[in-house]
Amino acid sequence: MTMKVSTLNFSRFFAPLAMAMAAVALATPSPAAETAPAADAARCEALTQLRLKDTTIDSAVMVEKGAGATPGLRDASPLPAFCRVVAHVRSAPDSDIGVEVWLPAGTWAGVFHGNGNGGFAGVLQGGYGSMVGGLRRGYAVATTDTGTAPATPLDGDALIGHPRKWKDWGRLSTHVMTVTGKAITQAYYGRGATRSYYTGCSTGGQQGLIEALYYPADYDGILVGAPVINRTWGHAAVLWDFIAANRTPGSRLSDAKLRVLNDAAVASCNRRGYGLQGDAFITDPLSCRFDPAELGCQGAETDQCLTPAEVATARAFYNGPTTTDGRAVFFGWPPGSEVQGRFGWAFLQSAANGQPQFGSLFKWVFGADWDWRGFDLDRDMPAVDRALGGDVNDATRGSLRAFKARGGKLIIYHGLADTLVPPGQSVAFYDRQVRELGGMDQARDVARLFLAPGLMHCGGGPGPDAFNSALGGTPQPPIGGPGDDLFASLVDWASGGRAPDRVIATKFAMGDPKTIQLQRPLCAYPQKASYDGRGSTSAAESFVCSSTPNRSEEGGQH
């Protein structure tokens, strides 16, 4: 069989969501395909007869080696032969969780690798990009649609009136995928996995945290990026931004104004020592305050200044949701996040069918006729939390204590130019686990947090973005060892190796994987990369990881 894919590639932006949009289907074999051994094909086909509780095996088909190009990734090298299994688990009324498993034919490394989805999910293709990397490593890989079909990653309207699907999306589906995927894997190979890893970003990041907090026996190592932690307030932040930008015809920030705002924010923060002058990103934006009023028009409006309405919009984005008495109640976006990108500030200002992006969640609570114009933060968010908080906000609760007791290892990373999931949320989660576990040393024994300057949501942005070989659709690290790859670091750490303190992130010139433009260390929180004042700022060795970065830095040689 051939795996046929679209040439559309959103590889640098919101990888899990982008992969969900990739068209992937089965077709006829290509002439170059190599036939898998008959025994492998027979074992694969036999999985259609596998009996698992509440589970239907819809298909089990052998995909031949060289049958097609890689789904959604930049290279077109063929996949190895694998058994492709699609199943559905229906354990309760209105619950229907889709699961897809790819089982490498021939040699199996003995590893089970679960992969996350994006947005409202609803489609299995959301995990394909990351599954490819695991399959090439010889892993058995799996993903889930999180039980939200027929929703799509950007549109959850189909879930209005389906509270069980909200619960599957928020808490249950990834565990179901893992249990089902491991059972299918064991049936195919005749033995269970010796090691298990999970990776995902955005909604996929939330899925991984739920696994670590509530199903600690499922995985030995978990790597998550930009995890959605407080789901209800995360959607409220996007809604807050949309309302700010659309309250009056003159409130929206044009692309030209966003470029000016970004340039000013980066220059201001870096001049004050929160980054290096000359960088296109801010090293420590969470510590920097920037007032967009600095760009206020002094005379006639031009593209180089902001009107009072535009200043108010920018402040709303930076400050985050605020009550009528002026109290900040959730995170805003850090300075430097105004960069141009597929899911940047322009996306947050844009409408989807006349409603804010990801606004479906509010329709679950208030009905299909809900309209953003009547939203009142003080009045409505308590109702949203009462209706949904118990189903979708479990990552705001719980402890890593049991995961740690099992010897599990968790790595979290978050881009500091993210505009879909506030990076401050990951810092707050980690700090809470420090308190839960009795101190930083205890927390660092089970979990590490890496903050990536200039990285947008899961990928893209002006900062170095190649450091995770397990996330499909994003630039791959140049070597792929523990020193420059968070996934390799996770595998090493979970297997008894060293805990990662520093990983090198790479920026390739114009996306060319053969030409390195810039490398910087990502330091395990609470440490940050600090320039040594001597070497090239394009070289990682010119930086040290320090808890007290030097605020007097004035730059270096690029």
Side-chain angles (χ1 to χ4, degrees):
M1 304 293 286
T2 297
M3 192 157 280
K4 185 178 180 181
V5 299
S6 163
T7 58
L8 184 62
N9 182 8
F10 300 113
S11 63
R12 295 181 65 79
F13 307 105
F14 201 7
L17 193 59
M19 292 303 102
M21 297 176 181
V24 183
L26 293 178
T28 55
S30 68
E34 298 180 12
T35 303
D40 290 326
R43 282 191 294 127
C44 180
E45 183 178 352
L47 291 176
T48 59
Q49 306 304 311
L50 181 63
R51 297 291 178 260
L52 300 174
K53 184 179 179 182
D54 302 319
T55 302
T56 301
I57 307 294
D58 298 321
S59 62
V61 179
M62 183 62 66
V63 179
E64 305 296 348
K65 178 181 179 180
T70 300
L73 298 186
R74 295 181 178 188
D75 64 275
S77 55
L79 296 172
F82 66 97
C83 176
R84 178 179 185 255
V85 183
V86 177
H88 279 82
V89 182
R90 304 176 179 93
S91 60
D94 205 29
S95 178
D96 186 352
I97 298 172
V99 177
E100 183 161 343
V101 186
W102 297 354
L103 304 159
T107 303
W108 174 45
V111 174
F112 177 83
H113 181 190
N115 294 272
N117 213 304
F120 292 112
V123 293
L124 289 165
Q125 293 96 324
Y128 282 7
S130 297
M131 291 169 73
V132 166
L135 184 69
R136 286 180 172 154
R137 293 183 179 93
Y139 296 173
V141 294
T143 194
T144 174
D145 65 3
T146 74
T148 57
T152 63
L154 289 175
D155 188 350
D157 280 8
L159 304 183
I160 299 170
H162 294 277
R164 173 60 195 221
K165 293 184 181 296
W166 311 338
K167 186 182 292 290
D168 286 343
W169 179 60
R171 170 71 178 267
L172 304 176
S173 58
T174 311
H175 177 62
V176 169
M177 171 198 77
T178 304
V179 172
T180 304
K182 286 183 175 181
I184 291 171
T185 300
Q186 180 159 352
Y188 181 71
Y189 294 110
R191 59 189 175 95
T194 56
R195 306 292 291 176
S196 297
Y197 306 115
Y198 173 89
T199 58
C201 194
S202 194
T203 288
Q206 179 186 26
Q207 292 173 250
L209 291 188
I210 293 299
E211 284 294 294
L213 293 168
Y214 299 100
Y215 306 101
D218 280 359
Y219 293 98
D220 301 294
I222 293 174
L223 170 61
V224 298
V228 181
I229 296 169
N230 191 318
R231 173 64 72 170
T232 55
W233 278 90
H235 285 242
V238 174
L239 172 59
W240 176 264
D241 295 338
F242 180 84
I243 293 173
N246 292 277
R247 64 163 64 89
T248 70
S251 294
R252 183 177 296 208
L253 293 157
S254 68
D255 287 348
K257 300 276 184 116
L258 287 173
R259 283 191 289 270
V260 169
L261 185 62
N262 177 244
D263 288 345
V266 171
S268 174
C269 289
N270 288 356
R271 184 172 58 249
R272 289 179 283 145
Y274 297 99
L276 298 180
Q277 293 195 54
D279 276 354
F281 56 89
I282 305 167
T283 302
D284 185 18
L286 297 183
S287 299
C288 182
R289 301 291 295 176
F290 170 71
D291 186 356
E294 294 178 17
L295 293 172
C297 296
Q298 301 304 309
E301 179 188 357
T302 71
D303 282 345
Q304 300 303 306
C305 65
L306 302 184
T307 66
E310 292 166 341
V311 168
T313 297
R315 281 176 171 164
F317 275 58
Y318 290 133
N319 295 337
T322 305
T323 59
T324 53
D325 61 3
R327 183 169 49 90
V329 287
F330 195 62
F331 302 91
W333 312 116
S337 64
E338 320 82 1
V339 291
Q340 304 292 301
R342 174 68 177 85
F343 290 94
W345 282 30
F347 174 77
L348 297 177
Q349 297 181 113
S350 68
N353 299 319
Q355 296 288 350
Q357 302 293 344
F358 304 109
S360 299
L361 180 141
F362 298 98
K363 296 181 182 180
W364 301 353
V365 180
F366 300 115
D369 59 351
W370 173 82
D371 190 280
W372 65 272
R373 294 170 185 84
F375 180 77
D376 182 280
L377 184 84
D378 299 56
R379 179 196 66 208
D380 292 339
M381 281 311 295
V384 172
D385 280 335
R386 283 194 300 271
L388 298 178
D391 292 334
V392 303
N393 283 348
D394 276 338
T396 65
R397 302 174 281 268
S399 168
L400 293 172
R401 196 174 300 277
F403 188 61
K404 179 182 179 183
R406 276 200 69 252
K409 305 300 180 186
L410 169 68
I411 294 177
I412 305 167
Y413 67 91
H414 208 136
L416 289 173
D418 195 333
T419 53
L420 282 188
V421 180
Q425 203 176 185
S426 285
V427 175
F429 173 87
Y430 194 87
D431 287 344
R432 179 169 66 82
Q433 293 305 318
V434 169
R435 296 190 296 271
E436 289 275 347
L437 297 172
M440 183 62 73
D441 289 344
Q442 294 296 319
R444 284 169 59 85
D445 189 49
V446 62
R448 297 288 170 107
L449 169 64
F450 293 85
L451 300 175
L455 180 73
M456 294 183 73
H457 187 66
C458 297
D465 56 352
F467 55 82
N468 177 15
S469 66
L471 184 62
T474 59
Q476 297 293 289
I479 299 174
D484 66 355
D485 179 5
L486 283 180
F487 183 67
S489 295
L490 176 75
V491 171
D492 184 55
W493 188 22
S495 302
R498 294 182 57 184
D501 286 320
R502 168 183 166 122
V503 173
I504 304 304
T506 298
K507 185 75 172 179
F508 294 109
M510 300 298 292
D512 178 3
K514 296 180 181 178
T515 305
I516 293 175
Q517 173 184 326
L518 174 72
Q519 287 188 315
R520 293 281 172 86
L522 305 183
C523 304
Y525 177 81
Q527 292 196 328
K528 302 168 186 176
S530 182
Y531 177 56
D532 66 9
R534 297 185 299 275
S536 168
T537 56
S538 297
E541 55 266 27
S542 300
F543 294 80
V544 296
C545 290
S546 170
S547 298
T548 54
N550 181 2
R551 293 290 180 225
S552 64
E553 296 159 354
E554 291 297 331
Q557 299 300 313
H558 284 264

Coordinates of all heavy atoms in Angstrom, one line a residue, residues 224-298:
V224 N 7.4 17.2 26.7 CA 6.2 18.1 26.2 C 6.7 19.5 25.9 O 7.5 20.0 26.6 CB 5.1 18.1 27.2 CG1 4.5 16.7 27.4 CG2 5.5 18.6 28.6
G225 N 6.1 20.1 24.9 CA 6.3 21.5 24.6 C 5.1 22.3 24.7 O 4.0 21.8 24.4
A226 N 5.2 23.6 25.1 CA 4.1 24.5 25.2 C 2.8 23.9 25.7 O 1.8 24.0 25.1 CB 3.9 25.2 23.8
P227 N 2.9 23.2 26.9 CA 1.6 22.5 27.3 C 0.5 23.4 27.7 O 0.7 24.4 28.4 CB 2.1 21.7 28.5 CG 3.3 22.5 29.0 CD 4.0 23.1 27.8
V228 N -0.7 23.1 27.2 CA -1.9 23.8 27.7 C -2.1 23.3 29.1 O -2.4 22.1 29.3 CB -3.1 23.6 26.8 CG1 -4.3 24.4 27.3 CG2 -2.8 24.0 25.4
I229 N -2.1 24.2 30.1 CA -2.3 23.8 31.5 C -3.6 24.2 32.0 O -4.4 23.3 32.4 CB -1.1 24.3 32.4 CG1 0.2 23.7 31.9 CG2 -1.3 24.0 33.8 CD1 1.4 24.4 32.4
N230 N -3.9 25.5 32.0 CA -5.3 25.9 32.4 C -6.0 26.1 31.1 O -5.9 27.2 30.4 CB -5.2 27.2 33.2 CG -6.6 27.6 33.8 OD1 -7.6 27.5 33.1 ND2 -6.5 28.0 35.0
R231 N -6.8 25.2 30.7 CA -7.4 25.2 29.4 C -8.5 26.3 29.3 O -8.5 27.0 28.3 CB -8.0 23.8 29.1 CG -8.9 23.7 27.8 CD -8.1 23.9 26.6 NE -7.3 22.8 26.2 CZ -6.6 22.7 25.1 NH1 -6.8 23.6 24.2 NH2 -5.8 21.7 24.8
T232 N -9.3 26.4 30.3 CA -10.4 27.4 30.2 C -9.8 28.8 30.1 O -10.3 29.6 29.2 CB -11.4 27.3 31.3 OG1 -10.6 27.4 32.6 CG2 -12.1 26.0 31.3
W233 N -8.8 29.1 30.9 CA -8.3 30.5 30.9 C -7.3 30.7 29.7 O -7.2 31.8 29.3 CB -7.6 30.8 32.2 CG -8.7 31.2 33.2 CD1 -9.3 30.4 34.1 CD2 -9.2 32.6 33.4 NE1 -10.2 31.2 34.8 CE2 -10.1 32.5 34.4 CE3 -8.9 33.8 32.8 CZ2 -10.9 33.6 34.9 CZ3 -9.6 34.9 33.3 CH2 -10.5 34.8 34.3
G234 N -6.8 29.6 29.2 CA -6.0 29.8 28.0 C -6.9 30.2 26.8 O -6.5 31.1 26.0
H235 N -8.1 29.7 26.7 CA -9.0 30.1 25.7 C -9.5 31.5 26.0 O -9.8 32.3 25.0 CB -10.2 29.1 25.5 CG -9.8 27.8 24.8 ND1 -10.4 27.4 23.7 CD2 -8.9 26.9 25.2 CE1 -9.8 26.3 23.3 NE2 -8.9 26.0 24.2
A236 N -9.7 31.8 27.3 CA -10.1 33.2 27.6 C -9.1 34.2 27.2 O -9.4 35.3 26.8 CB -10.4 33.2 29.1
A237 N -7.8 33.9 27.3 CA -6.8 34.8 26.9 C -6.8 35.1 25.4 O -6.7 36.3 25.0 CB -5.4 34.2 27.3
V238 N -7.1 34.1 24.6 CA -7.2 34.3 23.2 C -8.5 35.2 22.9 O -8.4 36.1 22.1 CB -7.3 33.0 22.4 CG1 -7.6 33.2 20.9 CG2 -6.0 32.2 22.6
L239 N -9.6 34.9 23.6 CA -10.8 35.7 23.4 C -10.5 37.1 23.9 O -11.0 38.1 23.2 CB -11.9 35.1 24.3 CG -13.2 35.8 24.4 CD1 -13.8 36.1 23.0 CD2 -14.2 35.1 25.3
W240 N -9.8 37.3 25.0 CA -9.5 38.7 25.5 C -8.8 39.5 24.4 O -9.1 40.6 24.2 CB -8.7 38.5 26.7 CG -8.2 39.8 27.4 CD1 -6.9 40.3 27.2 CD2 -8.9 40.6 28.3 NE1 -6.8 41.5 27.9 CE2 -8.0 41.7 28.6 CE3 -10.1 40.6 28.8 CZ2 -8.3 42.7 29.5 CZ3 -10.5 41.6 29.7 CH2 -9.6 42.6 30.0
D241 N -7.8 38.8 23.8 CA -7.0 39.5 22.7 C -7.9 39.9 21.6 O -7.8 41.0 21.0 CB -5.9 38.7 22.3 CG -4.8 38.4 23.3 OD1 -4.8 39.2 24.3 OD2 -4.1 37.4 23.2
F242 N -8.8 39.0 21.2 CA -9.6 39.2 20.0 C -10.6 40.4 20.3 O -10.7 41.3 19.4 CB -10.4 38.0 19.7 CG -11.4 38.2 18.5 CD1 -10.9 38.0 17.2 CD2 -12.7 38.5 18.7 CE1 -11.7 38.1 16.1 CE2 -13.5 38.7 17.6 CZ -13.1 38.5 16.3
I243 N -11.1 40.4 21.5 CA -12.0 41.5 21.8 C -11.3 42.9 21.9 O -11.8 43.9 21.3 CB -12.7 41.3 23.2 CG1 -13.6 40.1 23.1 CG2 -13.4 42.5 23.7 CD1 -14.2 39.6 24.5
A244 N -10.1 42.9 22.4 CA -9.3 44.1 22.4 C -9.0 44.6 21.0 O -9.1 45.8 20.8 CB -8.0 43.8 23.2
A245 N -8.7 43.7 20.1 CA -8.3 44.1 18.8 C -9.5 44.5 17.9 O -9.4 45.1 16.8 CB -7.5 43.0 18.1
N246 N -10.7 44.1 18.3 CA -11.9 44.3 17.5 C -13.0 45.1 18.2 O -14.1 45.2 17.7 CB -12.5 42.9 17.1 CG -11.6 42.2 16.1 OD1 -11.6 42.4 14.9 ND2 -10.7 41.3 16.7
R247 N -12.6 45.8 19.3 CA -13.6 46.6 20.0 C -14.0 47.8 19.2 O -15.2 48.3 19.3 CB -13.1 47.0 21.4 CG -11.9 47.9 21.3 CD -11.7 48.6 22.7 NE -11.4 47.6 23.7 CZ -10.2 47.2 24.1 NH1 -9.1 47.6 23.4 NH2 -10.0 46.4 25.1
T248 N -13.1 48.4 18.4 CA -13.4 49.5 17.5 C -12.7 49.3 16.2 O -11.7 48.5 16.1 CB -12.9 50.8 18.1 OG1 -11.5 50.9 18.1 CG2 -13.4 51.0 19.5
P249 N -13.1 49.9 15.1 CA -12.5 49.7 13.8 C -11.0 50.1 13.8 O -10.2 49.6 13.0 CB -13.3 50.6 12.9 CG -14.6 50.8 13.5 CD -14.4 50.7 15.0
G250 N -10.6 50.9 14.7 CA -9.2 51.4 14.8 C -8.3 50.6 15.8 O -7.2 51.0 16.0
S251 N -8.8 49.6 16.4 CA -8.1 48.9 17.5 C -7.1 47.8 17.0 O -6.1 47.5 17.6 CB -9.1 48.2 18.4 OG -9.8 49.2 19.1
R252 N -7.3 47.3 15.8 CA -6.5 46.2 15.3 C -5.1 46.7 14.9 O -5.0 47.8 14.3 CB -7.2 45.5 14.1 CG -6.4 44.3 13.6 CD -7.2 43.6 12.5 NE -8.4 43.0 13.0 CZ -9.0 41.9 12.5 NH1 -8.4 41.3 11.5 NH2 -10.1 41.4 12.9
L253 N -4.1 45.9 15.2 CA -2.7 46.2 14.8 C -2.4 45.6 13.4 O -2.5 44.4 13.3 CB -1.8 45.7 15.9 CG -1.9 46.3 17.2 CD1 -1.3 45.4 18.3 CD2 -1.1 47.7 17.2
S254 N -2.1 46.5 12.5 CA -1.7 46.0 11.2 C -0.4 45.2 11.2 O 0.4 45.3 12.2 CB -1.6 47.1 10.2 OG -0.5 48.0 10.5
D255 N -0.1 44.5 10.1 CA 1.2 43.8 10.1 C 2.4 44.8 10.2 O 3.4 44.5 10.8 CB 1.3 43.0 8.8 CG 0.5 41.8 8.7 OD1 -0.1 41.4 9.8 OD2 0.3 41.2 7.6
A256 N 2.2 46.0 9.6 CA 3.3 47.0 9.6 C 3.5 47.5 11.1 O 4.6 47.6 11.6 CB 2.9 48.2 8.7
K257 N 2.4 47.7 11.8 CA 2.4 48.2 13.2 C 3.0 47.1 14.1 O 3.8 47.4 15.0 CB 1.0 48.6 13.7 CG 0.4 49.7 12.9 CD 0.8 51.1 13.3 CE 0.1 52.1 12.5 NZ -0.8 53.0 13.4
L258 N 2.7 45.8 13.8 CA 3.2 44.7 14.6 C 4.8 44.6 14.4 O 5.5 44.3 15.4 CB 2.6 43.4 14.2 CG 1.2 43.2 14.7 CD1 0.6 41.9 14.1 CD2 1.1 43.1 16.2
R259 N 5.2 44.9 13.2 CA 6.7 44.9 13.0 C 7.4 46.0 13.8 O 8.4 45.8 14.4 CB 7.0 45.0 11.5 CG 6.8 43.7 10.7 CD 7.4 43.8 9.3 NE 6.6 44.7 8.5 CZ 5.5 44.3 7.7 NH1 5.1 43.1 7.7 NH2 4.9 45.2 7.0
V260 N 6.8 47.2 13.7 CA 7.3 48.3 14.5 C 7.3 48.0 16.0 O 8.3 48.3 16.7 CB 6.5 49.6 14.2 CG1 6.9 50.7 15.1 CG2 6.8 50.0 12.7
L261 N 6.2 47.4 16.5 CA 6.1 47.1 17.9 C 7.1 46.1 18.3 O 7.7 46.2 19.3 CB 4.6 46.6 18.1 CG 4.3 46.3 19.6 CD1 4.3 47.5 20.4 CD2 2.8 45.7 19.6
N262 N 7.3 45.0 17.5 CA 8.2 44.0 17.8 C 9.7 44.6 17.8 O 10.4 44.3 18.7 CB 8.1 42.9 16.8 CG 9.2 41.8 17.0 OD1 10.0 41.6 16.1 ND2 9.1 41.1 18.1
D263 N 10.0 45.4 16.8 CA 11.3 46.0 16.8 C 11.6 46.8 18.0 O 12.7 46.7 18.7 CB 11.5 46.8 15.6 CG 11.6 46.0 14.3 OD1 11.8 44.8 14.3 OD2 11.4 46.7 13.2
A264 N 10.6 47.6 18.5 CA 10.8 48.4 19.6 C 10.9 47.6 20.9 O 11.7 47.9 21.8 CB 9.6 49.4 19.7
A265 N 10.0 46.6 21.0 CA 10.1 45.8 22.3 C 11.4 45.0 22.4 O 12.0 45.0 23.5 CB 8.9 44.8 22.2
V266 N 11.9 44.5 21.3 CA 13.2 43.7 21.3 C 14.3 44.7 21.7 O 15.2 44.4 22.5 CB 13.4 43.0 20.0 CG1 14.8 42.5 20.0 CG2 12.4 41.9 19.8
A267 N 14.3 45.9 21.0 CA 15.4 46.8 21.2 C 15.4 47.3 22.7 O 16.4 47.5 23.3 CB 15.3 48.0 20.2
S268 N 14.2 47.6 23.2 CA 14.1 48.2 24.5 C 14.5 47.2 25.6 O 15.3 47.5 26.5 CB 12.6 48.6 24.8 OG 12.4 49.0 26.2
C269 N 14.1 45.9 25.5 CA 14.4 44.9 26.5 C 15.9 44.5 26.4 O 16.6 44.4 27.4 CB 13.6 43.7 26.3 SG 11.9 43.9 26.8
N270 N 16.4 44.4 25.2 CA 17.8 44.1 25.0 C 18.8 45.2 25.4 O 19.8 44.9 26.0 CB 18.1 43.6 23.6 CG 17.5 42.3 23.2 OD1 16.9 41.6 24.1 ND2 17.6 41.9 22.0
R271 N 18.4 46.4 25.2 CA 19.2 47.6 25.6 C 19.3 47.6 27.2 O 20.3 48.0 27.7 CB 18.5 48.8 25.1 CG 19.3 50.1 25.5 CD 18.7 51.3 24.8 NE 17.3 51.6 25.2 CZ 16.3 51.4 24.4 NH1 16.5 51.0 23.1 NH2 15.1 51.7 24.8
R272 N 18.3 47.1 27.8 CA 18.3 47.1 29.3 C 18.9 45.8 29.9 O 18.8 45.6 31.1 CB 16.9 47.3 29.8 CG 16.4 48.8 29.6 CD 15.0 49.0 30.1 NE 14.0 48.4 29.2 CZ 12.9 47.9 29.6 NH1 12.6 47.7 30.9 NH2 12.0 47.5 28.8
G273 N 19.4 44.9 29.0 CA 20.1 43.8 29.5 C 19.3 42.5 29.6 O 19.8 41.5 30.2
Y274 N 18.1 42.4 29.0 CA 17.3 41.2 29.0 C 17.6 40.4 27.8 O 16.9 39.4 27.5 CB 15.9 41.5 29.1 CG 15.5 42.2 30.4 CD1 15.4 43.6 30.5 CD2 15.4 41.5 31.6 CE1 15.1 44.3 31.7 CE2 15.1 42.1 32.8 CZ 15.0 43.5 32.9 OH 14.8 44.1 34.1
G275 N 18.6 40.7 27.0 CA 19.1 40.0 25.8 C 20.3 40.8 25.3 O 20.8 41.7 25.9
L276 N 20.7 40.4 24.1 CA 21.9 41.0 23.5 C 21.5 41.9 22.4 O 20.6 41.6 21.5 CB 22.8 39.9 22.9 CG 23.4 38.9 23.9 CD1 24.2 37.9 23.2 CD2 24.2 39.6 25.0
Q277 N 22.0 43.1 22.4 CA 21.7 44.1 21.4 C 22.2 43.5 20.0 O 23.3 42.9 19.9 CB 22.4 45.4 21.6 CG 21.8 46.1 22.8 CD 22.3 47.6 22.9 OE1 22.1 48.3 21.9 NE2 22.8 48.0 24.0
G278 N 21.4 43.6 19.0 CA 21.6 43.0 17.7 C 20.9 41.7 17.5 O 20.7 41.3 16.4
D279 N 20.4 41.0 18.6 CA 19.6 39.9 18.5 C 18.2 40.3 18.0 O 17.7 41.3 18.3 CB 19.4 39.1 19.8 CG 20.6 38.2 20.1 OD1 21.4 38.0 19.2 OD2 20.7 37.6 21.2
A280 N 17.5 39.4 17.3 CA 16.2 39.6 16.8 C 15.1 39.1 17.8 O 13.9 39.1 17.5 CB 15.9 38.9 15.5
F281 N 15.6 38.7 19.0 CA 14.7 38.1 20.0 C 15.3 38.5 21.4 O 16.4 39.0 21.5 CB 14.6 36.6 19.9 CG 16.0 35.9 20.0 CD1 16.6 35.5 21.2 CD2 16.7 35.7 18.8 CE1 17.8 34.9 21.2 CE2 17.9 35.0 18.8 CZ 18.5 34.7 20.0
I282 N 14.4 38.3 22.4 CA 14.8 38.7 23.8 C 15.1 37.4 24.5 O 14.4 36.4 24.5 CB 13.6 39.4 24.5 CG1 13.2 40.6 23.6 CG2 14.0 39.8 25.9 CD1 11.9 41.2 24.1
T283 N 16.2 37.4 25.2 CA 16.7 36.2 26.0 C 15.8 36.0 27.2 O 15.4 34.8 27.5 CB 18.1 36.4 26.5 OG1 19.0 36.6 25.3 CG2 18.6 35.1 27.2
D284 N 15.4 37.0 27.9 CA 14.6 36.9 29.1 C 13.4 37.8 29.1 O 13.3 38.7 29.9 CB 15.6 37.2 30.3 CG 14.9 37.0 31.7 OD1 13.8 36.2 31.7 OD2 15.4 37.5 32.7
P285 N 12.5 37.6 28.3 CA 11.3 38.5 28.1 C 10.4 38.5 29.3 O 9.7 39.4 29.6 CB 10.6 38.0 26.9 CG 11.0 36.6 26.8 CD 12.4 36.5 27.3
L286 N 10.4 37.4 30.1 CA 9.5 37.3 31.3 C 9.9 38.3 32.4 O 9.1 38.6 33.2 CB 9.5 35.9 31.8 CG 8.9 34.8 30.9 CD1 8.9 33.4 31.6 CD2 7.5 35.1 30.3
S287 N 11.1 38.7 32.3 CA 11.6 39.7 33.3 C 11.5 41.1 32.8 O 11.8 42.1 33.6 CB 13.0 39.4 33.7 OG 13.1 38.1 34.3
C288 N 11.2 41.3 31.6 CA 11.2 42.7 31.0 C 9.8 43.2 30.9 O 8.9 42.6 30.4 CB 11.9 42.6 29.6 SG 12.0 44.2 28.8
R289 N 9.6 44.5 31.2 CA 8.4 45.2 31.0 C 8.6 46.2 29.9 O 9.6 47.0 29.9 CB 8.0 46.0 32.3 CG 7.8 45.1 33.5 CD 6.6 44.2 33.4 NE 5.3 45.0 33.3 CZ 4.1 44.5 33.2 NH1 4.0 43.1 33.0 NH2 3.1 45.2 33.1
F290 N 7.6 46.2 29.0 CA 7.7 47.2 27.9 C 6.4 47.9 27.7 O 5.3 47.2 27.7 CB 8.1 46.4 26.6 CG 7.9 47.3 25.3 CD1 8.8 48.3 25.1 CD2 6.9 47.0 24.4 CE1 8.7 49.1 23.9 CE2 6.7 47.8 23.3 CZ 7.6 48.8 23.0
D291 N 6.4 49.2 27.6 CA 5.2 50.0 27.5 C 5.0 50.4 26.0 O 5.8 51.2 25.5 CB 5.2 51.2 28.4 CG 3.9 51.9 28.4 OD1 3.0 51.6 27.6 OD2 3.7 52.9 29.2
P292 N 4.0 49.9 25.3 CA 3.8 50.3 23.9 C 3.5 51.8 23.7 O 3.6 52.3 22.6 CB 2.6 49.4 23.5 CG 1.9 49.1 24.7 CD 2.9 49.0 25.8
A293 N 3.2 52.5 24.8 CA 3.0 53.9 24.7 C 4.2 54.6 24.2 O 4.1 55.8 23.7 CB 2.5 54.5 26.0
E294 N 5.4 54.0 24.3 CA 6.6 54.6 23.8 C 6.5 54.9 22.3 O 7.2 55.7 21.8 CB 7.8 53.7 24.0 CG 8.2 53.5 25.5 CD 9.3 52.5 25.7 OE1 10.0 52.3 24.7 OE2 9.5 52.0 26.8
L295 N 5.6 54.2 21.6 CA 5.4 54.3 20.2 C 4.2 55.2 19.8 O 3.8 55.2 18.7 CB 5.3 52.9 19.5 CG 6.5 52.0 19.6 CD1 6.1 50.6 19.0 CD2 7.6 52.6 18.7
G296 N 3.7 55.8 20.8 CA 2.5 56.7 20.6 C 2.7 57.7 19.6 O 3.8 58.4 19.6
C297 N 1.8 57.9 18.7 CA 1.9 59.0 17.6 C 1.9 60.3 18.3 O 1.0 60.7 19.1 CB 0.7 58.8 16.6 SG 0.7 57.3 15.7
Q298 N 2.8 61.2 17.9 CA 2.9 62.5 18.4 C 2.2 63.5 17.5 O 2.0 64.7 17.8 CB 4.4 62.9 18.6 CG 5.1 62.0 19.5 CD 4.5 61.9 20.9 OE1 4.2 63.0 21.5 NE2 4.2 60.7 21.4

